Amino acid sequence: MEATVPDERPSAEGPATFREVFAQHEFRAVFMASALSWVGDYVAKAAVTLLVYQKTESVGLSAAAFAVSFLPWLLGGPVLAALAERYPYRRVMVACDLIRMALMLIIAIPQLPYQAVLVLIFAATLANPPSQAAKSALMPQMLAGDRLVVGLSLNASVGQAAQIVGYVLGSAAASYNPQVALLFNAATFGASALLVRLGVRERPAVPNPAQRSHLLQETRQGFTIVFGTPVLRAIAVLVFSAMLFSILPEGLAVGWANEEGGGDLNASTAQAVIMVASPAGFILGGLLVSRLFGPARRLKLMRPLAVLAPLALVPTLFDPPALTVALLAALCGFAVAGMLPMANGLFVQALPNGFRARAFGVMATGVQVIQGFAVLVTGLIADRFDNIPLVVGLWSTAGVVLMAVAALRWPDRQAFSDAITAATAANAEPPDHPDDPATGDTAAGPAEPRTGDGHRRHAVT
């Protein structure tokens, strides 16, 4: 029988420490595995982009090689995440790593046609949604209370650091030999699979086979619980709103540096400085806010940080030099990182176990689609009016208004407490008998999640 995770929430004055979080050996294994695979991923992105360009001498096709990694989330992220919920999370993570390792080894074969490279990259990235969904659902089973919030902050920060390190290493390795970079990525996936297999204990799948329904029905339940539950819907609106503008400096850095000028910096250096600024601010914000403030203070800071994030980019209206743009982007990243881990922690604690992977698929898909939408729309508008700073400044001003509305409609502390208590109670219930008419469950599948403040949501346990 699986042991229950104790509720180890510290007092409001005493936040969980990094030492306490890293003392959990399963978290250490997942943290190291994530760092390795993320670095390898960004190395491979740089390498594949150059590899396709070398084969085709086409900027459009090389850009397509980079953008193809976002397609699985757009085409089937929630469905793939729901699929991950049907199997033990450790098994899903290991299988996805091994599949990606094998495909990267094939992509590294010399003289492979670029069409095959694009197809194989797409196939490899299909493993991202179930792998990330399984990891997200596993985190609350390893860490409790404020340790979960700090653990999520550490994971988010290492993801941003991996992006910086991976792009730098990938650009260097790819310029020497793209195949070397791809072999490196394959090795990181192999190491990640080994770390998870040896460092994380096996847990049974949350829903048993008798409680499963049609995969699309289970996917729909993920959308229902996220957008039908007031507390979860409020968190989703806050996170999605943050993604609408925080990605802009990074996504428009090339045009900003080359068309608007880098001031005292040349175009390539200005582009690099702007792209790195937001991840760097994110790392600093995530680590400092989670470490310096207790849970109650972080909860109070969420609304001002939410408004500060778009407000930080409003001064771009005045067309500042590249270094100033980078500082503004770093401040925006700092504010977003200060609020996201707490939002993520509240989100997973307010979810019944049986819906965590599906809900993560909904959220992650929304984040990916909204980021791509924001960069695409602002890029087209900036191209039309030939003024990137003005477009980003006005877009961010609208973001301030949007965030202010979201902050005003933010649920009170009691609403979050009630939602977390309801989810905890649902998680503690024994599995219903699949044919028990008193529960309303049958072998056809789980009951629909009930939503609403103060109402119990049925959990598939």
Side-chain angles (χ1 to χ4, degrees), residues 177-202:
N177 189 331
Q179 275 75 25
V180 171
L182 292 167
L183 291 173
F184 173 79
N185 190 25
T188 63
F189 282 131
S192 175
L194 187 63
L195 282 167
V196 173
R197 177 63 181 81
L198 298 179
V200 177
R201 65 185 177 87
E202 182 79 347

Side-chain angles (χ1 to χ4, degrees), residues 32-193:
M32 293 172 62
S34 298
L36 278 172
S37 60
W38 274 330
V39 169
D41 257 347
Y42 288 116
V43 166
K45 279 185 179 182
V48 168
T49 302
L50 180 60
L51 186 65
V52 171
Y53 182 78
Q54 288 177 343
K55 290 177 178 291
T56 65
E57 295 186 354
S58 167
V59 175
L61 287 173
S62 66
F66 182 88
V68 75
S69 63
F70 294 96
L71 280 180
W73 288 107
L74 179 61
L75 299 179
V79 177
L80 292 168
L83 182 64
E85 202 134 55
R86 294 185 167 204
Y87 304 96
Y89 297 137
R90 184 185 72 168
R91 197 176 303 172
V92 171
M93 294 169 68
V94 171
C96 289
D97 278 342
L98 292 178
I99 290 170
R100 289 182 288 189
M101 179 186 73
L103 290 173
M104 285 298 160
L105 288 174
I106 297 173
I107 295 171
I109 296 174
Q111 308 307 318
L112 199 67
Y114 78 87
Q115 296 93 334
V117 171
L118 293 175
V119 171
L120 290 169
I121 283 293
F122 176 76
T125 54
L126 283 173
N128 289 347
S131 177
Q132 292 186 33
K135 182 177 71 173
S136 176
L138 182 63
M139 288 287 288
Q141 298 182 5
M142 299 185 297
L143 300 171
D146 194 50
R147 294 182 185 183
L148 173 62
V149 177
V150 175
L152 291 169
S153 176
L154 286 168
N155 261 341
S157 296
V158 77
Q160 297 294 318
Q163 182 175 349
I164 297 172
V165 173
Y167 280 151
V168 172
L169 289 179
S171 299
S175 62
Y176 170 70
N177 189 331
Q179 275 75 25
V180 171
L182 292 167
L183 291 173
F184 173 79
N185 190 25
T188 63
F189 282 131
S192 175

